[in-house]
Amino acid sequence: MSGNKASRQKPCHRCKSRSASAPAGTSTVHYEKFWLYRHCSSVQQRDRQAQKAGQLFSGLLAMNIVFLGSAFVSSMIFNHVAITLADVWILLSILKVLCLCWITYYLLGTSRLPHAVLHRDSHAGSIWIRGSVMLFGCFSILLNVFQIGYSAILIQCKSRVDIVFPSIEILFICTQAFFLWHHSKDCIQVQHNFTRCGLMLTIATNLLLWLLAVTNDTIHMEIESQLREVEQRLAGKAPFSHPSTTLCTCPNTTICKVFQKGYILLYPFNTEYCLVCSSVLYVMWKNVGRRISHHHVPQLKPKFKLHGVVFGPLLGTAAVIIGICVFMMYQIQATGSAPNRQVFVMYYSYYIVLLPLMSVGAVIGTIIHALEKKELDTLKNPTRSLDVILLMGAALGQIGMSYFSIVAIVATDPRDLLNSLILSYSVLLIFQTITQNVFIIDGLHRQPFAAAPEASHTGHAAAPELPGEEESTPSSKQEHTQMSPGKEEEVEQNHEANDQRRVSMLELGQEIRKVSLSYIHSYSHLSWKRRALREISFFLVSCNIILWVMPTFGAHPVFENGLEKSFYGYSTWFAIVNFGLPLGVFYRMHSVGGLLEVYITA
């Protein structure tokens, strides 16, 4: 489709100059050029050197932008007078406007040039990653709507930047989500250096937005000061508050409380959105100028099927149902003014039971991978390389928070019941993360099994078991012939209705028997290694889903139990949690995608 569209367009000036020498029926290849490497004699050598130089210069551009933005954010943290939050917002707004200009130019200009997109990476931009971009983008838009409403209610103490910045953010999120949904698989072949710089500019902007979301605790500090004032009033003490703090207190209205609670609930989604978009943009940056040969394109892509799994879905469903019950009880009891200690015991006990099961499953799966005689997939795959990097990098969030918790517990009172549960939870979480990473990474580098022979076997097995359809038709004909001519007219309609019911019931029974026989045969046809890998993968997928849902929708015991917060201080522990929690949520979501790939290839 894209090739036909490109052939109808006017050729560019470089295509005209090469049309005489190029053979008929071949697509024009736009080799990269760079002013530092014009002296190279070989065209392919000059193309490779220009590609490396373009990646280097675009990477330096992103590095300088990230360092500049990090300096602004750090200055805002350590010196509120010289650099304010409004100054950081103005810088990020300028970057977002530049990104919007480049994305618009790419959509309307670069992607429509002749021979711009000759190849598309089948591994990049999978449906689950694009769906994550759309899902987290919608939640981020809703988050900015709540922020605009919260700032509009407190307009007497808020600046106009508090309303303008979220508005630009909404436009940026919508445009970027549309761009990634339609063009995440592109291997652009024109305007290489400009496209690389635009992609790196967008990646740097998303990383700075993530850094600001991690360190910006303005609304959280306002809520904390309000709760502190309420506690002082209940204790009979006159609270001392700054005039600006009193002026910015949320009024006792329902709409303000909704905006405030919604902002806090949706806060992790914004950081998640920035990380997912950065990963997709990085794959696009690696694919700029990439030419995919035909033998790299998979001829038969395996599909997701539930055949061959029984115990994995059962155990996974049980873990999800129990996790939802624990989560609902936690949300009801822990969000009150005085959280109950027993709810934290219940929450950590659930994790202490679930994490060892996941670790044992991952270890068994790794051992099965070692016993298999499957070849490794050694083809160049930027998406798989990025998946491995993201798994290892995102795991640092959970591992880092766990080690901080271990130090705080050992230094205070490790013999207490709740503290011992938190200590066990932290140790088990580290072990489970490491074992699961080894299992996923090992599975991603395995060649998929061929599914064609299995489908043919299941088809042959199900075919001979359907004799009912042949036997039902002669019996109905025999009953017709035994009818007398006088009575045939009276009972003809009832007989036809009964025949239709009988045939429909027989067909329904045959379809159920066909499906059940096919499922049983496919399950018994799988080898025990493949069966175990599918069971383990499906179980780990279900467990990672519930472990993603619980912290994403408000279950944050690492911040609400008060142990680490009292040990490290509010600001320090807030920064640690805001750095580790989004990475932990991203790790669970990314693990689901990796485990689904392992399940499919098994």
Side-chain angles (χ1 to χ4, degrees), residues 12-40:
C12 60
H13 64 282
R14 288 193 290 181
C15 297
K16 289 180 180 178
S17 62
R18 294 173 182 166
S19 59
S21 59
T26 59
S27 59
T28 304
V29 177
H30 287 191
Y31 290 101
E32 296 192 40
K33 293 183 178 180
F34 201 81
W35 60 273
L36 283 175
Y37 299 100
R38 290 178 180 173
H39 61 277
C40 296

Side-chain angles (χ1 to χ4, degrees), residues 33-68:
K33 293 183 178 180
F34 201 81
W35 60 273
L36 283 175
Y37 299 100
R38 290 178 180 173
H39 61 277
C40 296
S41 58
S42 173
V43 176
Q44 285 81 9
Q45 183 181 0
R46 184 168 61 235
D47 178 75
R48 287 194 298 268
Q49 297 292 343
Q51 184 177 3
K52 294 178 181 178
Q55 292 177 350
L56 175 63
F57 274 79
S58 59
L60 289 173
L61 172 65
M63 184 184 68
N64 282 276
I65 294 174
V66 170
F67 281 158
L68 176 63

Side-chain angles (χ1 to χ4, degrees), residues 73 77 207-217 267 271 571 574-580 582-583:
V73 174
I77 296 173
L207 291 177
L208 289 177
L209 289 172
W210 173 79
L211 180 62
L212 179 63
V214 167
T215 56
N216 182 24
D217 57 348
Y267 197 77
T271 56
S571 299
F574 180 85
I576 294 173
V577 170
N578 267 9
F579 176 80
L583 287 178

Side-chain angles (χ1 to χ4, degrees), residues 132-148 166 169-170 173-174 176 263 266-274 277:
S132 302
V133 169
M134 301 302 293
L135 176 65
F136 294 137
C138 293
F139 283 125
S140 299
I141 292 173
L142 191 59
L143 169 71
N144 286 277
V145 170
F146 285 158
Q147 186 176 358
I148 292 173
E169 177 78 6
I170 292 175
I173 291 172
C174 294
Q176 183 174 243
Y263 180 87
L266 297 175
Y267 197 77
F269 289 100
N270 190 28
T271 56
E272 195 81 10
Y273 173 78
C274 297
C277 289

Side-chain angles (χ1 to χ4, degrees), residues 22-215:
T26 59
S27 59
T28 304
V29 177
H30 287 191
Y31 290 101
E32 296 192 40
K33 293 183 178 180
F34 201 81
W35 60 273
L36 283 175
Y37 299 100
R38 290 178 180 173
H39 61 277
C40 296
S41 58
S42 173
V43 176
Q44 285 81 9
Q45 183 181 0
R46 184 168 61 235
D47 178 75
R48 287 194 298 268
Q49 297 292 343
Q51 184 177 3
K52 294 178 181 178
Q55 292 177 350
L56 175 63
F57 274 79
S58 59
L60 289 173
L61 172 65
M63 184 184 68
N64 282 276
I65 294 174
V66 170
F67 281 158
L68 176 63
S70 302
F72 264 77
V73 174
S74 302
S75 302
M76 177 199 70
I77 296 173
F78 298 109
N79 193 342
H80 294 279
V81 179
I83 301 294
T84 61
L85 179 61
D87 298 329
V88 179
W89 278 352
I90 291 172
L91 173 66
L92 291 177
S93 298
I94 294 173
L95 293 176
K96 282 187 285 189
V97 170
L98 292 176
C99 293
L100 287 173
C101 294
W102 173 79
I103 292 175
T104 305
Y105 176 78
Y106 183 91
L107 294 174
L108 301 179
T110 304
S111 62
R112 299 188 179 186
L113 289 176
H115 309 293
V117 185
L118 296 176
H119 312 282
R120 291 177 67 85
D121 188 0
S122 60
H123 299 283
S126 58
I127 187 62
W128 73 268
I129 194 73
R130 288 186 294 157
S132 302
V133 169
M134 301 302 293
L135 176 65
F136 294 137
C138 293
F139 283 125
S140 299
I141 292 173
L142 191 59
L143 169 71
N144 286 277
V145 170
F146 285 158
Q147 186 176 358
I148 292 173
Y150 182 78
S151 301
I153 293 176
L154 304 176
I155 192 64
Q156 67 275 7
C157 66
K158 299 283 186 179
S159 63
R160 295 181 179 179
V161 183
D162 295 313
I163 298 178
V164 175
F165 179 78
S167 303
I168 300 176
E169 177 78 6
I170 292 175
L171 181 61
F172 175 72
I173 291 172
C174 294
T175 307
Q176 183 174 243
F178 177 83
F179 166 68
L180 295 179
W181 180 265
H182 291 280
H183 297 276
S184 59
K185 296 178 178 290
D186 290 357
C187 298
I188 198 73
Q189 303 296 324
V190 296
Q191 299 181 356
H192 306 90
N193 294 326
F194 188 68
T195 303
R196 286 194 185 100
C197 291
L199 288 169
M200 274 297 170
L201 173 65
T202 313
I203 291 174
T205 304
N206 281 282
L207 291 177
L208 289 177
L209 289 172
W210 173 79
L211 180 62
L212 179 63
V214 167
T215 56

Side-chain angles (χ1 to χ4, degrees), residues 213-288:
V214 167
T215 56
N216 182 24
D217 57 348
T218 305
I219 296 183
H220 298 83
M221 288 297 293
E222 291 177 3
I223 298 173
E224 187 76 11
S225 63
Q226 293 174 23
L227 292 176
R228 196 179 299 114
E229 289 181 6
V230 171
E231 291 175 359
Q232 291 178 355
R233 288 173 184 172
L234 292 176
K237 300 178 181 179
F240 174 76
S241 58
H242 197 269
S244 61
T245 306
T246 306
L247 193 63
C248 275
T249 302
C250 185
N252 193 14
T253 57
T254 305
I255 187 65
C256 187
K257 299 297 182 182
V258 168
F259 286 147
Q260 196 179 66
K261 186 65 177 177
Y263 180 87
I264 295 174
L265 184 63
L266 297 175
Y267 197 77
F269 289 100
N270 190 28
T271 56
E272 195 81 10
Y273 173 78
C274 297
L275 292 176
V276 174
C277 289
S278 298
S279 63
V280 179
L281 290 166
Y282 175 78
V283 174
M284 291 185 64
W285 178 76
K286 292 289 289 184
N287 282 332
V288 172

Side-chain angles (χ1 to χ4, degrees), residues 444-505:
L444 290 177
H445 288 83
R446 300 282 174 170
Q447 289 279 5
F449 278 100
E454 180 183 340
S456 62
H457 284 306
T458 55
H460 289 305
E465 300 292 335
L466 300 173
E469 187 174 356
E470 299 176 358
E471 296 175 359
S472 61
T473 309
S475 62
S476 61
K477 290 181 179 179
Q478 188 177 3
E479 291 177 2
H480 257 296
T481 56
Q482 293 176 357
M483 288 285 181
S484 61
K487 296 181 179 180
E488 185 177 357
E489 295 179 357
E490 299 177 359
V491 298
E492 183 177 359
Q493 295 180 352
N494 295 331
H495 188 69
E496 289 179 356
N498 292 331
D499 284 344
Q500 290 178 358
R501 294 193 193 97
R502 190 181 306 166
V503 170
S504 62
M505 292 298 294

